[in-house]
Structures are given as C-alpha cells and as structure tokens.
Amino acid sequence: MKEQLEKIKQEALAALGAAKESVDLEALRVKYLGKKGELTAVLKQMGKLSAEERPVIGQLANEVRERLTAEIETQKKKLEEAKLEARLEAEALDVTIPGKKTALGHQHPMYIALEEIKDIFVGMGFTVLDGPEVELAYYNFDRLNAEEGHPSRDWSDTFYFDKDSRVMLRSQTSPMQVHAMETMELPIRIVAPGRVYRKDEVDATHSPMFHQVEGMVIDKNITMADLKGTLNTVVEQLYGKGTKTRFRPHHFPFTEPSCEMDVQCHKCGGVGCPTCKGEGWIELLGAGMIHPKVLEMSGIDPEVYSGWAFGMGLERTAMRRFKIADLRLIFENDVRFLEQF
C-alpha cells in the first residue's frame, strides 16, 4: 500500500505541475482527493491491514493528502498571478504613443452670422429678445393689422394647429413687436431672432422653416431716414464698406410706408445668375414705419411716438456673408460643407 500511495503522490504532483487552467486544478483535486478519488479509494482498504500497519499507513496517507492540498494551493496562486500578468500586459498603455486627435465642432455659419448681427445691434443700444415659436394668430396677425381675409392667413400659407386657425407656428418674428410693446417701457429698441414657418417650396433661396431677425425702434421723432441709415450701417458692418443695397416700395399691413431692402447678389455681382434668379439682387428684409393702428392697439399714441421695424432673413444674410450659393446647403448638415467654416 505504501507503494500505491507513493505512486499516487508522484502522479498527482506531475499532473498538478502541468495544469494550465484553474479548471484543470479542480479536476485533479476531485480525481485524487475527492470522495471517490484515488487517495480515498486506498484509504478504504485500511481495514485489511494489521493493527501495526494501520498507524503507519494512516500517517503516510495524511502526509500525501497534505502535500497534494498544498501543491494545489501553490499552483492555484501561480495560475492566478500568471493570468493577472497576462491581463496587465494586454491592457497596458504605451504612454509614448501620440494620442488620437479629438474632432472639435464649431459654430454653424448661420449662427456665426447671427452672433455678428446681435453684436452690431447690441453695440447700437438694442436689447435682444426671444419669443415663442408656437404663437396665437391674435399676435401673429390681428395685432399686426392683418385682418381676416388677408392672404398670409390662408391655410395654404400658414401652419395651424386647430381648425379655428387660432394657434399656429409663427410665420414671422413680428409678434415680438407686440410682446415688446406690451411689456417694455418707451423708448424701445429691440432685436428678436428666431425660427419661423411658412408653406414655401424648397429652392435655392426658400425653405418652409427658416430664421428671421426682427428689429424695432419706437421713440419720438423717428423717421424713415433713421430706418435706412440703420440698415445700411448694419449691412456695411456685415458685408464690408461700400456694399450695394436698394430699397423698393412694398406693402405690409403692419408698416406704412413699407419697403423691401435688397443686397447685390454676391454670386454674380449684379449680372444675374441662378442664385438671384437672374435679377442681380437678393431680397434681404422687409421693413417700414410702424402703422399707426399697430401703435394704437398697443396703447401707444401715434401722434407722439413713431417707429420703424424690419424682418431680416437670417439664412439669406449668412448666404451673402459667406458667399453660399444655395440655401439648402445650410440645412443639409453635410460635414464637407460645414467644415469650410
């Protein structure tokens, strides 16, 4: 039996030394030291031994069990250390390798133009306001002297939320004029940028969703000359000294007299091209002197106060500012286009 125990010990030690995984060690522990293991099988034969042999064989069997148990623990620690070392090596970072360049974003060209516009007007003493995009027709039309039956109130032109045409996506930033007159003390100088919505067909200069910058001044002795002088100054600061503009008579229900201001086409220099539809000019904004009825509806005496207002298309401003030929490029989010700015 001594030879049998010695053989089990030597075979087990050799097998434990060759084990590569923790699962292999567990399998060997069960094979040699488990309830049905080889060492247990030998010990079950102790009854066949004489009284003198039993203590000797029992002590030898315990020594073999302790030796194998200790070897299993030793090998288990070695395997865990080797596994940790391999993991550390696999996950090691080479701090000498140059890092990956992080791609940083930047302002959209349209918002670059907006910030420039706001800076210009703030420098002139204007206050920047923000207002709701979901608006009441009362503010978008009624309070701006656009009565029922006006073409701009038609369902073919405006996005309404209800069948009674009372709640809508604002079609202009002009309601901010009324909100300002209701909440601010005179004199008033404000600009109000924001998104507006109209049922326009998409082309090089039109979109159903676009941005406007509303401007308004109300004070004593305000004239059309103040309006033209202010707008020409703004355009020259945006596009450079000597930028050519023209004012054309127009009609808006909330201004009288009214006009539209064009800037010379940046693409063709006034010759005519697809961007300006062959006209040589691109409409930038509508403007005029605030209608006396609009002032009266807001509780302002038109005999004492006068004012002017304008609504500027921000996308067209950015197109002229950065010489963009097609408005659709601004909304398509093509990185190849945006990276140029």
Side-chain angles (χ1 to χ4, degrees), residues 262-322:
D262 304 330
V263 291
Q264 193 173 76
C265 179
H266 57 277
K267 189 71 175 177
C268 64
V271 176
C273 68
T275 298
C276 62
K277 297 182 179 179
E279 296 182 2
W281 298 87
I282 295 177
E283 176 193 336
L284 186 63
L285 57 87
M289 300 300 295
I290 299 174
H291 199 292
K293 289 181 65 175
V294 174
L295 295 174
E296 287 176 350
M297 283 188 282
S298 295
I300 298 174
D301 187 351
E303 298 295 326
V304 179
Y305 290 93
S306 58
W308 54 255
F310 71 86
M312 177 186 296
L314 183 56
E315 283 82 2
R316 295 183 184 181
T317 305
M319 288 173 68
R320 179 65 172 77
R321 169 70 174 79
F322 295 107

Side-chain angles (χ1 to χ4, degrees), residues 8-80:
I8 290 173
K9 184 177 77 169
Q10 295 303 325
E11 289 180 354
L13 290 175
L16 291 172
K20 301 298 183 182
E21 299 289 343
S22 297
V23 66
D24 298 333
L25 287 178
E26 179 61 19
L28 291 171
R29 185 193 69 78
V30 173
K31 177 180 179 181
Y32 291 106
L33 303 180
K35 290 181 180 182
K36 298 181 180 180
E38 293 185 16
L39 184 60
T40 303
V42 173
L43 293 176
K44 287 180 179 179
Q45 302 176 23
M46 292 280 287
K48 300 177 181 180
L49 300 176
S50 64
E52 294 80 11
E53 290 179 318
R54 287 175 189 169
V56 177
I57 298 301
Q59 182 179 356
L60 180 60
N62 286 334
E63 290 175 357
V64 172
R65 180 182 294 278
E66 291 173 0
R67 178 75 175 86
L68 295 182
T69 300
E71 185 64 20
I72 289 172
E73 289 301 317
T74 299
Q75 291 299 325
K76 184 177 180 180
K77 289 181 180 179
K78 287 182 179 180
L79 290 176
E80 288 177 350

